[in-house]
Amino acid sequence: MKRYGYLFEQICDYDNLLRAHKNAQKGKKHYREVQKINLDTSSYLKRIQVLLLTSKYKTSKYQIIQKVTDSGKVREIYKLPYYPDRIVHHAIMQVLEPIWFKTLIRDTYSSVKGRGIHDGVLRIQSALRDVKGTRYCLKFDIRKYYPSISNGILKIVVRKKIKDDRVLWLLDEIIDSTHGLPIGNYLSQYFGNLYLSDYDHWMKENNMINHYFRYCDDIVILHSDKSFLHKLLRDSAGYLDKHLKLKIKNNWQVFPVDSRGIDFLGYRFFHGYTLLRKTIATKFKRKALNIRRSHINMKESQIINSIMSYLGWFQYANCKNLQNKYINSEIFSIVKDRSTRIGINNPLQGVA
C-alpha cells in the first residue's frame, strides 16, 4: 500500500491557506470573526503559517452546544473558532482528501464530494433491479458512533496512507484534542468515513457482498438469503468489536424488502418504486398547508424558496399522488405561471 510523504509543505503553503480561508468562510461571511480576518487576511494567514512551521499550533478550546435532533435525541455539537482552527482543517483536507478518497469504496456517501444522498439513491435503485439478489435487507447502525471512535485506532488508520511525520503530528494533535470524534468538527466528517473504510473493504472483498451501502455509520446490505444476512450480522459484530471497538445498535433489522421497504437516505425503497420517508412527506404537507393559508401575502420567490428543497427530494421518488394533491393545487400553479418573472424557469419540471 502506497504511503504519502512531503505533504506538510503543501498544507503550510500560503496559497493553500488562502484557498482554505476562502472555502471555510462560505456561508459565514457575516460572522464578525470572518469579517475581522478579511480586513487583514495576509497577516492572519502568515501567523497560521508560523504556528504550523514551528509546531506551535494547538487546537483551541471547543464550545459545546446541546442540540435536539428531529428524532428527539440530544447531541453535543463541538464548535471551534474560525481562526485558526477551521482554516487549518480546510488546509489539511485540501491536501489529504484526494489521497483518502482513493481508499474509500464506491458506495459510501457521507461527506464525500460527488457522492451525496441522491447519488446513493440512484445506486440503490439500480441495485434493486436485481430483484432475486436483493430480496432481503440487513440494516443497522453503530451505537454512539462518533463518541465511540478510538483515538489510538484512528491514528493507526491515518498512518496507513500518510508517512509525513509533521503531518502526523498535526493530525494527532487534532485527534487528541478530545475523546472520540467531536460532532461538528470539520475533519471529523472524513475521519468518520476513514474509520470504517477497512470494514467496508472486508465486507466487499472478504464476504463478496455486491450490494453494500454506507452513509456515515448507517449501513444497508442486500442479499438473496435471509440466513446469510443473519450470519453476516454476527460476523460484523465480531469484526467491529475486535478491530474498531465499536458496537452495533440493538435495533438492527433483517427483513424482506417488499414487506416494508428500506428506510435509508430519506427514502423508502421497494422493488420497482421509491417513496419519500414519511417524516419528510409530512413536513412538506405542513409547509404546503401553511403556504395555502398565507400565500396572498407572499411573493412568488418566497413560495418557491420555501419548497425548492422538497422538489429536489421529489425528483428521485414516485410522488404522483403527493404532487397532484399539493404541487398541482391552485396555490402552486402560481409558482408555475409566474416563476419566470424572477428568473426561474419551470421550477417544478421533472417532479414525479
Side-chain angles (χ1 to χ4, degrees):
M1 179 184 291
K2 182 178 180 180
R3 298 173 70 225
Y4 292 81
Y6 305 104
L7 301 170
F8 191 71
E9 294 82 0
Q10 297 178 47
I11 293 172
C12 298
D13 180 77
Y14 181 85
D15 288 339
N16 186 56
L17 292 173
L18 180 60
R19 186 157 60 96
H21 168 53
K22 290 179 178 178
N23 288 330
Q25 66 178 295
K26 288 178 180 177
K28 301 178 177 65
K29 290 184 179 181
H30 60 287
Y31 287 14
R32 289 183 181 178
E33 191 176 13
V34 175
Q35 293 174 352
K36 179 181 177 182
I37 293 167
N38 282 335
L39 293 174
D40 191 8
T41 301
S42 178
S43 295
Y44 281 103
L45 296 185
K46 286 177 180 177
R47 285 182 212 170
I48 293 178
Q49 246 186 344
V50 172
L51 287 173
L52 294 173
L53 291 170
T54 59
S55 302
K56 291 182 180 179
Y57 170 78
K58 294 286 183 185
T59 299
S60 304
K61 185 177 180 180
Y62 288 97
Q63 178 187 359
I64 302 177
I65 303 168
Q66 300 284 339
K67 182 178 180 181
V68 180
T69 66
D70 291 339
S71 59
K73 296 179 182 177
V74 178
R75 295 192 185 279
E76 288 189 337
I77 307 299
Y78 289 69
K79 186 178 180 181
L80 283 172
Y82 179 84
Y83 174 87
D85 301 275
R86 291 191 67 84
I87 296 174
V88 170
H89 286 202
H90 276 265
I92 292 170
M93 284 304 303
Q94 287 167 182
V95 174
L96 299 189
E97 184 176 23
I99 295 171
W100 284 336
F101 179 84
K102 296 174 185 177
T103 71
L104 302 176
I105 66 166
R106 175 62 181 85
D107 286 304
T108 182
Y109 305 100
S110 177
S111 305
V112 181
K113 287 182 180 178
R115 297 188 193 172
I117 286 176
H118 292 133
D119 178 59
V121 170
L122 293 174
R123 296 279 293 179
I124 293 176
Q125 289 173 336
S126 177
L128 287 170
R129 295 188 190 118
D130 174 18
V131 177
K132 189 174 181 180
T134 60
R135 288 180 61 202
Y136 295 96
C137 174
L138 165 60
K139 185 176 183 294
F140 66 88
D141 59 349
I142 308 299
R143 183 177 178 272
K144 296 183 179 179
Y145 179 52
Y146 273 57
S148 298
I149 286 177
S150 162
N151 293 27
I153 295 175
L154 179 57
K155 290 179 185 179
I156 293 172
V157 171
V158 165
R159 280 159 172 77
K160 289 182 178 180
K161 296 299 291 183
I162 308 299
K163 64 180 180 181
D164 187 316
D165 288 338
R166 288 182 295 176
V167 173
L168 293 173
W169 155 75
L170 180 57
L171 294 176
D172 287 353
E173 205 291 321
I174 294 169
I175 291 169
D176 288 334
S177 64
T178 185
H179 178 73
L181 279 185
I183 298 173
N185 200 338
Y186 182 67
L187 272 175
S188 294
Q189 302 171 41
Y190 227 93
F191 281 154
N193 262 337
L194 284 175
Y195 198 77
L196 282 172
S197 184
D198 281 352
Y199 170 75
D200 295 339
H201 286 281
W202 172 80
M203 182 63 69
K204 296 284 288 183
E205 294 152 19
N206 289 51
N207 295 284
M208 305 299 291
I209 300 300
N210 292 325
H211 306 306
Y212 170 89
F213 309 91
R214 178 169 68 83
Y215 187 89
C216 191
D217 65 314
D218 290 331
I219 294 168
V220 163
I221 304 167
L222 305 175
H223 200 268
S224 61
D225 188 339
K226 184 178 180 180
S227 60
F228 175 84
L229 289 178
H230 279 285
K231 180 181 183 301
L232 194 62
L233 176 67
R234 294 191 296 270
D235 291 345
S236 291
Y239 181 99
L240 292 168
D241 182 41
K242 179 180 178 180
H243 297 282
L244 299 174
K245 296 183 180 179
L246 298 174
K247 304 288 184 186
I248 293 175
K249 273 187 186 178
N250 292 329
N251 62 350
W252 57 266
Q253 303 171 64
V254 176
F255 57 90
V257 169
D258 286 332
S259 68
R260 68 177 80 172
I262 307 162
D263 190 341
F264 189 56
L265 302 177
Y267 294 86
R268 287 187 296 146
F269 299 92
F270 298 83
H271 290 113
Y273 65 100
T274 304
L275 302 178
L276 279 179
R277 179 177 288 162
K278 289 182 180 179
T279 54
I280 294 174
T282 299
K283 286 180 182 178
F284 170 73
K285 291 173 186 177
R286 287 201 200 105
K287 177 77 70 176
L289 291 173
N290 287 335
I291 291 173
R292 284 184 179 181
R293 295 189 189 103
S294 57
H295 74 279
I296 294 175
N297 299 319
M298 296 176 69
K299 296 179 180 179
E300 290 88 346
S301 58
Q302 290 176 312
I303 297 175
I304 292 171
N305 291 336
S306 66
I307 64 167
M308 283 300 289
S309 63
Y310 291 102
L311 301 186
W313 289 98
F314 293 163
Q315 291 182 34
Y316 294 85
N318 301 93
C319 301
K320 184 172 288 186
N321 291 336
L322 197 63
Q323 175 185 350
N324 289 338
K325 187 171 181 179
Y326 294 95
I327 295 181
N328 291 339
S329 66
E330 179 183 351
I331 301 306
F332 287 95
S333 66
I334 296 172
V335 178
K336 287 183 178 181
D337 295 339
R338 304 182 187 176
S339 60
T340 53
R341 294 185 184 180
I342 58 171
I344 299 177
N345 294 323
N346 195 4
L348 303 180
Q349 185 176 6
V351 178

